[in-house]
Amino acid sequence: MKIINTLETARHIAKQVKACGNRIAFVPTMGNLHEGHLSLVRKARELADFVIVSIYVNSMQFGHNEDFDTYPKTFAADKHHLEQENVDAVFAPTEKIMYPEGQTDHTRIQLDCLDGMHCGLSRPQFFSGVATVVTKLFNIVTPDVAVFGEKDFQQLCVIKKIVHDLMMPVEIVSGPTCRDENGLALSSRNNYLTHTEKKKAAGLYALIQKVASKISAGERDYTRLSQFGIEQMQESGFVPDYFNIVSTKTLKPPSDDESSLVILAACTLNNIRLIDNMQIQID
Ligand code: AMP
């Protein structure tokens, strides 16, 4: 497995792979890899001849009061996991490589689609930061296909949108959310939680499932169900950010005949941010 630390090497390797007629599958990550990330790597392995994983904690997508400085960094363990998965190359750039002139006057992808909605409301810089860094990574790695997790459903929608709108020649494939035995979606931020907190945090998915079964049973008052979700979060000891039931296509409130819905939920537990979601198909 090649460890790539420079832009030139990354570009050179990508060019060589393509010159041999091979396809590149790419999995962008922020490291501290867990089974969720590795499931995407396995999917990537099935989709192309050459798999590249990036490990880069992108400061642009973090707010000033967020956890950029404490975000877990476990490169040696990550490298070991990726070797086990037969990954061909890991691109692990530094901040200086990704933003050589800093971020002050850096071009940013401006997204309006999630402005004032869901995570876009509480983390206004987040999707623009993600879209910008993913665009940069795509320009470096030149993947044929890139794999993202449904765990971050809004992020997946944003990536699909920029690829579509900016006509990027890359196919976006998604993988389902990996969970622990209690249903808690695996996340690097779970490292901040104690054993007891993790059990409590699993209540978020249990609540989403509860609301999903109400919808499946025929309840259609989404405003009331969202309110129920918020109240239940509070009762379970979470500080709610949002609990929204929206169209999977628009991420906006569903029309009456909408059949493809997603429940999006975010909250904090002892100041640790948790997000989760569930897609629902109704008749
Ligand atoms: P991150 O390192 O958190 O930026 O995540 C890198 C990729 O892994 C993103 O596409 C995430 O959506 C995906 N991912 C994170 N957690 C999970 C999970 N529990 N199951 C599946 N994919 C995940």
Side-chain angles (χ1 to χ4, degrees):
M1 188 173 77
K2 294 185 174 73
I3 307 294
I4 308 171
N5 295 119
T6 71
L7 206 57
E8 294 70 28
T9 314
R11 289 196 195 282
H12 177 69
I13 288 177
K15 235 181 204 167
Q16 269 189 333
V17 172
K18 297 217 161 162
C20 299
N22 289 324
R23 275 165 57 84
I24 297 175
F26 179 44
V27 185
T29 81
M30 298 206 295
N32 191 239
L33 303 182
H34 50 63
E35 194 51 34
H37 297 110
L38 300 179
S39 69
L40 304 183
V41 169
R42 279 172 217 135
K43 188 156 253 194
R45 189 67 285 169
E46 287 167 13
L47 293 170
D49 316 279
F50 198 90
V51 174
I52 305 183
V53 174
S54 65
I55 295 182
Y56 178 64
V57 185
N58 173 40
S59 57
M60 191 188 265
Q61 71 196 56
F62 286 76
H64 293 304
N65 55 347
E66 295 182 354
D67 58 344
F68 174 69
D69 291 332
T70 55
Y71 198 85
K73 292 178 188 70
T74 52
F75 188 74
D78 293 349
K79 184 171 161 257
H80 177 72
H81 287 307
L82 296 176
E83 268 162 355
Q84 303 290 104
E85 299 296 339
N86 286 322
V87 164
D88 297 288
V90 177
F91 180 46
T94 57
E95 178 92 5
K96 192 78 192 150
I97 287 175
M98 292 304 285
Y99 301 102
E101 289 93 30
Q103 292 182 16
T104 311
D105 295 323
H106 196 284
T107 302
R108 276 172 191 261
I109 305 248
Q110 176 69 41
L111 290 145
D112 298 331
C113 58
L114 280 164
D115 261 4
M117 283 201 294
H118 323 307
C119 283
L121 192 61
S122 44
R123 305 185 74 191
Q125 75 299 324
F126 178 67
F127 291 117
S128 161
V130 168
T132 303
V133 81
V134 168
T135 302
K136 285 164 76 88
L137 290 168
F138 281 2
N139 284 338
I140 299 165
V141 171
T142 63
D144 296 278
V145 54
V147 189
F148 290 83
E150 287 159 22
K151 152 82 170 41
D152 299 289
F153 190 82
Q154 298 164 66
Q155 172 173 284
L156 176 63
C157 294
V158 160
I159 302 297
K160 283 182 178 165
K161 179 142 177 70
I162 57 166
V163 163
H164 175 81
D165 288 355
L166 303 180
M167 299 174 180
M168 298 178 180
V170 51
E171 181 191 353
I172 302 301
V173 169
S174 69
T177 303
C178 290
R179 301 179 179 280
D180 75 6
E181 64 281 5
N182 296 316
L184 173 64
L186 300 185
S187 162
S188 303
R189 291 199 168 94
N190 294 354
N191 283 336
Y192 303 138
L193 301 169
T194 63
H195 183 66
T196 317
E197 286 171 332
K198 275 186 193 159
K199 278 192 168 168
K200 203 168 168 184
L204 176 61
Y205 185 53
L207 172 60
I208 292 174
Q209 283 178 306
K210 191 171 177 179
V211 172
S213 54
K214 283 175 186 283
I215 296 170
S216 298
E219 285 202 34
R220 293 289 178 273
D221 187 343
Y222 302 126
T223 311
R224 212 178 65 81
L225 285 170
S226 294
Q227 189 54 38
F228 171 78
I230 296 283
E231 284 161 12
Q232 292 288 303
M233 277 177 171
Q234 281 162 335
E235 272 182 31
S236 308
F238 299 113
V239 175
D241 182 356
Y242 58 80
F243 191 103
N244 296 332
I245 301 154
V246 294
S247 151
T248 49
K249 287 179 218 108
T250 61
L251 299 186
K252 291 184 179 149
S255 55
D256 289 343
D257 59 349
E258 189 73 60
S259 59
S260 192
L261 307 178
V262 57
I263 300 176
L264 302 171
C267 58
T268 55
L269 178 64
N270 298 343
N271 290 322
I272 309 303
R273 186 171 175 83
L274 306 169
I275 62 165
D276 207 340
N277 69 81
M278 187 173 172
Q279 295 178 65
I280 318 161
Q281 206 60 34
I282 53 174
D283 298 331

